[in-house]
Amino acid sequence: MRAPLQQIQTSSELPQSADAVVIGGGIVGVFAAYYLARRGMKVVLVEKGRIGAEQSCRNWGWCRQQNRDARELPMATRSLDLWERFVADSGEDTGFRRCGLLYLSNDEAELARWARWRDFARTAGVTTLMLDGAEASERGRATGRPWKGGVFSPSDGTADPSRAAPSVARAILKLGGTVLQNCAARGIETEGGRLSAVVTENGTIRTKVAVLAGGAWASSFCRQFGFRFPQAAIRSSILSVSPGAEGLPDALHTAKISVTRRDNGGYTLAISGRGRVDVTPQQLRFSSHFVPMFLKRWRSLAPGGLQGVRCGHETLKLWRLDQPTPMERMRILDPVPDKATIRLTHARALELLPALRQTRISAAWAGYIDSTPDGVPAIGEIDAVPGFFLAAGFSGHGFGIGSGAGHLVADLVTGSEPIVDPKSYDPRRFDASSWGKVADF
């Protein structure tokens, strides 16, 4: 893989039964399993490839409240507290720190949008500092240019995508849970209309509860038992550079480039929102659902190629539970990064931050960001299969709110008071003719 990832050793023996089975070892899946295990449940987490190997290690690492859609802001706030608490409770280090996030702009309209969000955030108890020209230019002095204004969100922060999910997986093991890598879940079984088992490539696990945190694979998995989950993935390409640049902000966003300091002293570089659309049968099937999203974001998207078809995560095919599935043929989604985007990203970064000229490109990678029509994740029980819970469609926000999403899943499974109101995330909203406003992010 091109994206850095910490490898961990996990279990090899498949349990015959469990109180809950979590399908998918990304950040949402590991946190869901962790919080279920903390409540005394016998938990089995199954991952078709490596823990955290897909989008959970391919993102910026931002854990933010700033500019969150109103439906996600409460979860973002609670997630920051949970990221912080996890270290104390588990003894594992995800690299989380509240370094603050800096936004700079010379666009009056953009600054006005940020100010409106600041006013809204105050009603939710979130502190955002609007910066005038002098303040923005001082905080952004590494750019060597003046700025009209900006935002600094002091309580936001970052975690390390290369080791966050593996760290949570180790915490699950400490609690007595089972984590299985290279073990694909092929489907589910039911008895009397309720979930009764999860079928894996290595055998069947009897259980009354399953959580699907399958990222870009979730829709095709749901299709196997007749649940229609509209989902489309966008291929995003980013890169990292070696240590050597001094005096840069820990996390900086501008319209042209975003930069994040990594734990090794290097930086991740990306262009916000930019991506390639690799057309797949699933995307064509759900294309009408995504028209509002496309109309809002078309300037950031470009046509892709056939990588999505070759990867198989958005197939319309039905597969047999006693035969290898597309997930076993593609253990880890590792699409080829877009070379033009990588070149442009690096050039913009060097222009904006001259100190980066002291570094070299150390890695470049791409990942598939799984999106819903409204840009808000689906978290909740599927009515058609009681006992089966969905946690997918995080639309590029899953890493930062992964802790809160995992906690909410555990709340719903155990019937506890939800950490946030789950109404906005209810998968049943996709049954309606419209899903409300496309998320601002």
Side-chain angles (χ1 to χ4, degrees):
M1 288 196 324
R2 299 170 180 86
L5 177 65
Q6 187 178 93
Q7 304 290 310
I8 63 168
Q9 296 299 315
T10 56
S11 313
S12 58
E13 184 176 346
L14 186 83
Q16 293 184 345
S17 65
D19 295 329
V21 176
V22 177
I23 303 167
I27 197 67
V28 174
V30 293
F31 267 121
Y34 170 74
Y35 287 116
L36 288 169
R38 280 182 62 87
R39 297 174 198 210
M41 296 185 72
K42 179 184 178 183
V43 177
V44 177
L45 172 66
V46 293
E47 163 55 45
K48 61 181 174 51
R50 304 291 300 183
I51 293 296
E54 294 192 342
Q55 195 55 27
S56 291
C57 73
R58 297 163 188 265
N59 59 84
W60 302 4
W62 284 29
C63 304
R64 65 178 172 90
Q65 299 165 102
Q66 178 66 36
N67 290 341
R68 286 282 188 191
D69 185 85
R71 291 162 288 187
E72 284 188 354
L73 181 58
M75 183 178 288
T77 299
R78 297 304 300 273
S79 293
L80 285 165
D81 294 336
L82 292 172
W83 277 104
E84 210 160 42
R85 191 187 312 166
F86 172 78
V87 178
D89 290 344
S90 69
E92 296 288 340
D93 184 9
T94 62
F96 175 76
R97 55 200 178 96
R98 291 185 187 254
C99 58
L101 308 181
L102 176 63
Y103 293 64
L104 299 174
S105 180
N106 283 318
D107 185 327
E108 296 287 0
E110 186 172 48
L111 291 169
R113 288 196 300 271
W114 293 347
R116 288 194 296 271
W117 190 90
R118 182 269 317 272
D119 295 340
F120 152 70
R122 282 175 174 166
T123 67
V126 176
T127 299
T128 291
L129 307 177
M130 290 299 300
L131 308 176
D132 61 22
E135 293 168 329
S137 299
E138 171 58 25
R139 285 190 178 271
R141 58 187 177 276
T143 66
R145 64 183 68 182
W147 297 90
K148 289 184 178 179
V151 170
F152 184 67
S153 51
S155 60
D156 289 348
T158 63
D160 184 353
S162 70
R163 59 188 167 111
S167 294
V168 182
R170 282 193 295 269
I172 297 167
L173 297 174
K174 289 180 180 179
L175 292 169
T178 300
V179 179
L180 295 162
Q181 298 182 97
N182 294 307
C183 180
R186 292 176 172 174
I188 62 173
E189 292 180 348
T190 59
E191 290 180 2
R194 293 189 59 88
L195 181 87
S196 62
V198 171
V199 180
T200 79
E201 63 179 295
N202 295 328
T204 299
I205 307 171
R206 309 303 299 180
T207 185
K208 294 182 179 180
V209 172
V211 177
L212 176 62
W217 297 87
S219 184
S220 60
F221 190 97
C222 288
R223 190 174 302 112
Q224 306 309 306
F225 56 89
F227 179 70
R228 194 169 186 270
F229 174 39
Q231 186 183 38
I234 302 299
R235 175 163 50 99
S236 177
S237 300
I238 65 178
L239 69 140
S240 63
V241 295
S242 62
E246 301 294 337
L248 274 58
D250 286 329
L252 169 66
H253 167 77
T254 71
K256 287 193 171 184
I257 194 73
S258 296
V259 180
T260 312
R261 182 180 174 85
R262 301 183 69 88
D263 279 0
N264 67 354
Y267 287 84
T268 296
L269 314 178
I271 299 176
S272 179
R274 192 179 184 93
R276 292 278 181 178
V277 181
D278 294 332
V279 177
T280 65
Q282 180 174 291
Q283 283 200 357
L284 294 175
R285 181 191 188 198
F286 293 131
S287 58
S288 61
H289 295 260
F290 284 86
V291 169
M293 177 75 77
F294 178 77
L295 291 176
K296 189 167 186 175
R297 314 204 187 285
W298 66 270
R299 291 179 180 84
S300 299
L301 302 176
L306 297 176
Q307 287 197 62
V309 173
R310 290 193 289 268
C311 288
H313 60 293
E314 291 189 341
T315 179
L316 295 181
K317 295 180 180 179
L318 300 179
W319 53 71
R320 292 176 50 174
L321 301 187
D322 61 351
Q323 296 291 327
T325 68
M327 293 171 289
E328 290 146 81
R329 290 188 286 272
M330 181 60 67
R331 295 283 179 184
I332 297 172
L333 282 177
D334 188 22
V336 177
D338 180 57
K339 293 181 180 178
T341 297
I342 296 300
R343 288 194 298 267
L344 179 62
T345 302
H346 193 228
R348 285 185 178 184
L350 297 185
E351 179 185 7
L352 181 69
L353 298 163
L356 289 173
R357 294 170 187 165
Q358 306 302 315
T359 69
R360 57 175 177 77
I361 295 177
S362 54
W365 62 86
Y368 279 114
I369 297 174
D370 59 308
S371 300
T372 59
D374 57 9
V376 175
I379 306 173
E381 189 172 19
I382 303 303
D383 287 344
V385 186
F388 186 88
F389 293 79
L390 179 63
F394 282 81
S395 307
H397 314 156
F399 186 80
I401 62 174
S403 56
H407 198 294
L408 177 60
V409 168
D411 294 338
L412 297 175
V413 167
T414 59
S416 305
E417 180 69 23
I419 190 171
V420 295
D421 187 347
K423 182 178 179 180
S424 296
Y425 311 114
D426 194 330
R428 288 176 293 187
R429 73 186 189 273
F430 300 116
D431 295 332
S433 58
S434 63
W435 307 278
K437 173 176 166 289
V438 175
D440 289 320
F441 57 84

